[in-house]
């Protein structure tokens, strides 16, 4: 099994616009003290800068890339590292930090830096939506309105509470929609669903600031969790909301839940699709999962994922 101690050189890429991005110098100093061979540090402020910087870091030949930012930033990095033997170190500097929560990476910055120095390597699955990567959850419907209502200022001042405020705002404006769920593997019949609040496809375990995709969801189980929530009276949505934290909402009679390695979501009119907090594609959307796609450093005590090794998934042998 590979170890972060085997790294010859590490590059740090910090989204300085993330909620805690201003702490980047403290993080770099802490990692160097922990023995991480940091040889390059990059600060980015925009998505375009992030993409070009990550491409440059990969071209430079580092075998450890440490990324600081929120879930959207980490998803962008994971998409570029997928299928390589480069290790990903995580500094959770965003608002929700659901990917870090899934792998039990500490939100405390000093502890997260220590994890990169003495953690273990696990390999995780990567979700794909029309070819675009996502780590946690992709969705259409209410979540898109929530993303639109989550202004940077709201997240900066309210932190995770911003999600609750944005949800209330989006809910009052939501229009129900219809969708067809097609399962290319033939493991479920095609479903025609009307009067929907949201359709979501989960790759990881957590999303939305600590909600759980389902009680059995995992980021290395090689399957997607698909759920559709029907629109209805406010009291029903409140009862569903109370079950989001542990994932038991999937048993509610207004929720349809499936697991599969692939699903196609078709709506009457094209709808935007939210991937880990970023609007990246539209319906119709083909969702797939890339097994064991990314090597990530997690705490030694983490139970969020395992290391299956080269050749166990869709990765080429070393």
């Amino acid at each position: 099994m590979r170890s972060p101690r085997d790294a010859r050189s590490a590059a740090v890429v910090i989204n300085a616009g993330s909620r805690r991005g201003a702490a980047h110098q403290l993080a770099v100093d802490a990692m160097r003290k922990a023995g991480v061979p940091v040889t390059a540090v990059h600060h980015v402020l925009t998505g375009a800068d992030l993409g070009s910087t990550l491409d440059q870091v990969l071209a430079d030949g580092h075998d450890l890339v440490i990324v600081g930012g929120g879930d959207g930033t980490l998803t962008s990095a994971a998409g570029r590292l997928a299928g390589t033997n480069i290790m990903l170190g995580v500094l959770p500097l965003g608002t929700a930090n659901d990917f870090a929560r899934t792998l039990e990476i500490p939100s405390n910055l000093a502890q997260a830096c220590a994890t990169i120095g003495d953690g273990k390597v696990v390999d995780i699955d990567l979700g794909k939506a029309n070819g675009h990567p996502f780590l946690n959850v992709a969705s259409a419907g209410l979540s898109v309105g929530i993303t639109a209502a989550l202004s940077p200022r709201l997240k900066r001042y309210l932190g995770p509470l911003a999600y609750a405020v944005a949800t209330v705002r989006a809910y009052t404006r939501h229009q129900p929609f219809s969708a067809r769920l097609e399962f290319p593997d033939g493991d479920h019949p095609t479903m025609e669903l009307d009067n929907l609040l949201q359709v979501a496809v989960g790759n990881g375990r957590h999303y939305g600031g600590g909600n759980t995709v389902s009680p059995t969801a995992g980021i290395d189980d090689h399957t997607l969790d698909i759920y559709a929530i029907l629109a209805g009276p406010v009291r029903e949505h409140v009862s569903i909301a109370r079950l989001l934290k542990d994932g038991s909402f999937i048993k509610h009679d207004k929720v349809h839940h499936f697991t599969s390695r692939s699903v196609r979501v078709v709506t009457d009119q094209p709808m935007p699709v939210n991937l880990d907090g970023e609007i990246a594609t539209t319906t119709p959307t083909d969702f797939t999962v890339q097994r064991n796609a990314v090597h990530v450093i997690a705490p030694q005590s983490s139970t969020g994922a395992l290391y299956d090794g080269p050749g166990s998934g869709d990765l080429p042998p070393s």
Side-chain angles (χ1 to χ4, degrees):
M1 181 185 297
R2 299 182 68 204
S3 163
R5 299 173 190 82
D6 299 331
R8 297 181 302 275
S9 69
V12 179
V13 179
I14 300 287
N15 180 354
S18 59
R19 186 165 179 258
R20 295 193 296 161
H24 50 78
Q25 191 55 54
L26 292 175
V28 171
D29 292 342
M31 285 185 290
R32 283 176 170 152
K33 288 180 181 178
V36 179
V38 176
T39 57
V41 179
H42 303 271
H43 306 139
V44 300
L45 287 172
T46 68
D49 289 342
L50 174 65
S52 61
T53 299
L54 289 168
D55 290 342
Q56 182 60 53
V57 164
L58 266 62
D60 289 342
H62 301 282
D63 47 10
L64 170 57
V65 177
I66 301 158
V67 178
D71 288 318
T73 300
L74 291 163
T75 291
S76 181
R80 283 170 164 79
L81 295 181
T84 75
N85 285 320
I86 300 171
M87 294 175 284
L88 173 63
V90 176
L91 297 179
L93 303 179
T95 303
N97 299 316
D98 286 304
F99 177 55
R101 183 179 285 107
T102 291
L103 292 180
E104 301 167 20
I105 296 170
S107 59
N108 177 276
L109 188 56
Q111 293 175 5
C113 292
T115 292
I116 295 171
D118 62 12
K120 64 182 179 181
V121 177
V122 300
D123 43 21
I124 64 163
D125 301 334
L126 186 67
K128 295 289 187 68
N130 287 343
H132 299 278
F134 66 98
L135 288 168
N136 304 324
V137 168
S139 53
L142 179 64
S143 66
V144 173
I146 295 172
T147 296
L150 272 172
S151 67
R153 181 177 180 180
L154 189 67
K155 290 193 289 186
R156 189 172 297 277
Y157 284 99
L158 295 184
L161 183 60
Y163 283 86
V165 174
T167 298
V168 172
R169 291 178 179 176
Y171 184 83
T172 60
R173 304 168 186 165
H174 176 74
Q175 295 296 319
F177 64 99
S178 300
R180 183 172 70 253
L181 307 185
E182 303 171 356
F183 297 90
D185 293 344
D187 47 352
H188 302 286
T190 297
M191 296 287 296
E192 298 278 358
L193 301 171
D194 298 317
N195 197 34
L196 290 170
L197 183 72
Q198 179 161 295
V199 173
V201 179
N203 172 64
R205 181 166 179 80
H206 295 295
Y207 71 102
N211 295 329
T212 302
V213 173
S214 83
T216 59
I219 202 165
D220 71 342
D221 60 4
H222 317 324
T223 60
L224 301 170
D225 278 81
I226 303 108
Y227 69 80
I229 301 178
L230 300 176
V234 172
R235 65 179 182 277
E236 290 183 343
H237 294 154
V238 170
S239 68
I240 292 172
R242 289 173 177 167
L243 304 174
L244 292 175
K245 286 296 181 183
D246 66 0
S248 60
F249 72 98
I250 62 169
K251 299 177 183 178
H252 196 282
D253 60 7
K254 291 296 184 180
V255 178
H256 296 276
H257 175 249
F258 313 89
T259 59
S260 181
R261 289 197 63 181
S262 62
V263 64
R264 178 176 172 84
V265 177
V266 182
T267 53
D268 292 340
Q269 299 294 326
M271 294 180 63
V273 178
N274 171 17
L275 308 181
D276 292 339
E278 306 289 337
I279 308 302
T281 189
T282 60
T283 58
T285 311
D286 292 298
F287 295 95
T288 57
V289 60
Q290 183 178 356
R291 298 177 57 186
N292 300 327
V294 187
H295 300 295
V296 187
I297 300 174
Q300 291 288 346
S301 60
S302 173
T303 59
L306 301 174
Y307 181 84
D308 292 331
S312 60
D314 296 332
L315 296 177
S318 297

